[in-house]
Amino acid sequence: MIKPLEGTIEEQLLKLELAALDQWNNGDPSGYLDLSADDVVYFDPFLEQRLTGKTALTAYYEALRGTIKVDRNEFINPLVQVSGNMAVLTFNLNAYVREAVYRWNCTEVYRQEETGWKIIQTHWSFVKP
Amino acid sequence: MIKPLEGTIEEQLLKLELAALDQWNNGDPSGYLDLSADDVVYFDPFLEQRLTGKTALTAYYEALRGTIKVDRNEFINPLVQVSGNMAVLTFNLNAYVREAVYRWNCTEVYRQEETGWKIIQTHWSFVKP
């Protein structure tokens, strides 16, 4: 049974994303791993090609555990497009690490499952690398 | 009425994507514009932030019309995730322009509408920029 969530789908997804991001910013990938579906696919600027499946993503994230510390984020202009049991969350993000700022584009595709909203696609890229 | 398309959803989407890409490679953005929904959102590495809506995407693409010539593509490892009326197409792409090769990550989110499959989200980024 799906546990009812409060708020609009947009509010639900932003809450999930920001909670996972907060953990990530403190070196803990568990939030994103818990949110990701078994068939998740993943892009970021450090990979040679797409990662395919949660086993691959878990290995990648676990190797990063404890290595990341983001001091502060600006979460910019989030938008959610919903259709059926899928929702696309897009946003820009400025991540401040000491004196540096990293400017990101991000696309998350969520699918509603029995256990709640799960990410099936993540794409992080740099703004004007 | 939705015109029946031949083949699996994966085959349909790859055919649409590759046809639009072939036009793009010859300087014509019309294929991608025809495929894009009114609420499309778009990221690429040359933009300061997400483009939101087909009007913005049209202005951006039309300014590029006639300026792009890709000699050859390698379309790598495409995958389609379908749920309800939405489908996520992800792939890597090597684009050869004279002696140079540009290596891309790409995510396209398609939604099935009365007029066929339409893109509601495009995200292009460079591999290891």
Side-chain angles (χ1 to χ4, degrees):
Chain A
M1 183 179 158
I2 298 175
K3 184 182 170 191
L5 293 172
E6 291 184 8
T8 65
I9 290 174
E10 178 160 6
E11 289 166 344
Q12 293 170 25
L13 297 187
L14 290 179
K15 188 174 174 183
L16 292 171
E17 186 76 27
L18 290 173
L21 189 62
D22 187 59
Q23 289 180 265
W24 180 265
N25 288 344
N26 290 290
D28 182 2
S30 303
Y32 276 120
L33 286 172
D34 290 345
L35 261 187
S36 295
D38 287 344
D39 62 337
V40 66
V41 296
Y42 177 91
F43 294 109
D44 78 22
F46 310 110
L47 292 164
E48 285 287 340
Q49 58 179 14
R50 184 189 64 217
L51 290 182
T52 306
K54 189 166 179 178
T55 300
L57 183 62
T58 301
Y60 182 60
Y61 272 178
E62 289 297 348
L64 297 172
R65 184 180 289 275
T67 66
I68 289 164
K69 177 61 181 147
V70 175
D71 298 317
R72 184 168 66 84
N73 279 149
E74 287 170 10
F75 196 70
I76 302 165
N77 206 16
L79 182 75
V80 175
Q81 297 162 286
V82 183
S83 188
N85 67 338
M86 301 260 276
V88 183
L89 167 63
T90 50
F91 56 90
N92 286 101
L93 182 80
N94 291 343
Y96 293 85
V97 179
R98 282 171 291 185
E99 301 305 304
V101 57
Y102 298 87
R103 297 195 302 149
W104 293 97
N105 302 309
C106 184
T107 301
E108 299 277 37
V109 182
Y110 282 85
R111 185 178 62 210
Q112 196 159 31
E113 302 191 347
E114 288 195 3
T115 52
W117 287 100
K118 297 293 177 185
I119 296 170
I120 66 164
Q121 188 280 161
T122 292
H123 193 148
W124 289 100
S125 69
F126 287 125
V127 172
K128 295 190 164 184
Chain B
M1 182 178 156
I2 298 176
K3 184 182 170 191
L5 293 171
E6 292 185 7
T8 64
I9 290 173
E10 178 160 5
E11 289 166 345
Q12 293 171 25
L13 296 187
L14 289 179
K15 188 175 175 183
L16 292 170
E17 186 76 26
L18 290 172
L21 190 61
D22 187 59
Q23 288 180 264
W24 181 264
N25 287 344
N26 290 289
D28 183 2
S30 303
Y32 276 120
L33 286 172
D34 290 345
L35 262 187
S36 296
D38 286 345
D39 62 337
V40 66
V41 295
Y42 177 92
F43 293 109
D44 78 22
F46 310 110
L47 292 164
E48 286 288 340
Q49 58 179 14
R50 185 190 64 216
L51 290 181
T52 305
K54 190 167 178 177
T55 301
L57 183 62
T58 301
Y60 182 60
Y61 272 177
E62 289 298 346
L64 296 172
R65 184 180 289 275
T67 66
I68 289 165
K69 177 63 181 146
V70 175
D71 299 316
R72 183 168 67 85
N73 279 149
E74 288 169 8
F75 196 71
I76 301 166
N77 205 15
L79 181 76
V80 176
Q81 297 161 285
V82 183
S83 187
N85 68 337
M86 302 260 276
V88 183
L89 167 62
T90 50
F91 55 90
N92 286 101
L93 183 80
N94 291 342
Y96 293 86
V97 179
R98 284 170 290 186
E99 303 304 307
V101 55
Y102 298 88
R103 299 194 300 149
W104 293 97
N105 302 310
C106 184
T107 301
E108 300 277 38
V109 182
Y110 282 85
R111 184 179 61 210
Q112 195 158 32
E113 302 190 346
E114 289 193 4
T115 53
W117 288 100
K118 298 292 178 187
I119 296 169
I120 66 165
Q121 188 280 163
T122 292
H123 192 149
W124 288 101
S125 69
F126 287 126
V127 172
K128 292 190 165 183

